[in-house]
Amino acid sequence: MERIGKFKTYTLEECLEKYIGPIGTAKRDEFENKVKESVRAYHIKKARMEQTLLKMR
C-alpha cells in the first residue's frame, strides 16, 4: 500500500489477494482461468473481425 496525498493506493496483486485469494488457492486458480479464457475469446473475436468472418454487432 502506498499513499498519494490523503488516498491509499493498492497494487493489483494486493487487491486480488484480498478479494479473490492468494495464489495457489482453488478460488484464485478458477479466477485466473476465467481471465485467460476471456482474453483468448477476445483475441479470437478480434482476429475474426479483422478477417471479416464475424460482423460487428
Side-chain angles (χ1 to χ4, degrees):
M1 181 200 49
E2 184 181 324
R3 282 196 174 271
I4 297 179
K6 63 180 181 177
F7 299 102
K8 295 178 186 176
T9 61
Y10 299 91
T11 65
L12 175 61
E13 187 58 39
E14 288 173 325
C15 293
L16 289 174
E17 282 207 20
K18 181 176 180 180
Y19 296 106
I20 307 293
I23 294 174
T25 60
K27 190 174 179 183
R28 179 70 176 261
D29 290 342
E30 181 182 349
F31 172 79
E32 297 284 344
N33 287 333
K34 286 182 181 180
V35 169
K36 288 177 187 176
E37 288 175 12
S38 295
V39 170
R40 271 190 232 115
Y42 167 79
H43 285 289
I44 290 169
K45 182 176 180 178
K46 183 178 175 189
R48 288 179 176 170
M49 288 173 65
E50 288 171 357
Q51 296 174 10
T52 64
L53 297 175
L54 179 68
K55 294 181 180 180
M56 292 187 70
R57 295 179 187 181

